[in-house]
Amino acid sequence: MAMNIEYLSSDSATFLVAKGDYSASEILKAAVEQNVIDDGDFSDAEYYQSHFKATPAPKNSGFKSWHYPIEKPCKGSYFASVLQQG
């Protein structure tokens, strides 16, 4: 199964999210190949992995959902590798 890259943003940062266990270089390569980012973008991004939970965002926030890290997996959570810039 091919890695799917999601580009998410908040008021203070942008994120490349790959659900699963991937390295920073694998995420960057896939993001460029999928035309999510240009080559060289996210070159100074912070890399981390965590379990995440998504919840609906408030209607007037301009976002579809909030994704936030959690320490232990729970129903509806997912494990992801993340590059964060900003």
Side-chain angles (χ1 to χ4, degrees), residues 39-78:
D39 196 18
D41 291 353
F42 280 81
S43 59
D44 60 346
E46 176 185 349
Y47 168 79
Y48 61 94
Q49 294 180 312
S50 183
H51 290 277
F52 289 86
K53 181 79 174 169
T55 58
K59 289 183 181 181
N60 296 328
S61 69
F63 300 103
K64 294 179 183 175
S65 60
W66 301 129
H67 296 255
Y68 56 94
I70 56 176
E71 290 185 25
K72 296 182 180 179
C74 64
K75 186 176 182 179
S77 68
Y78 60 92

Side-chain angles (χ1 to χ4, degrees), residues 6-52:
E6 290 186 69
Y7 182 93
L8 302 174
S9 63
S10 72
D11 291 338
S12 59
T14 54
F15 308 85
L16 294 177
V17 179
K19 291 182 181 178
D21 184 9
Y22 298 101
S23 69
S25 61
E26 289 173 316
I27 295 169
L28 286 172
K29 181 180 178 197
V32 170
E33 289 173 354
Q34 295 174 24
N35 294 317
V36 175
I37 62 170
D38 292 327
D39 196 18
D41 291 353
F42 280 81
S43 59
D44 60 346
E46 176 185 349
Y47 168 79
Y48 61 94
Q49 294 180 312
S50 183
H51 290 277
F52 289 86

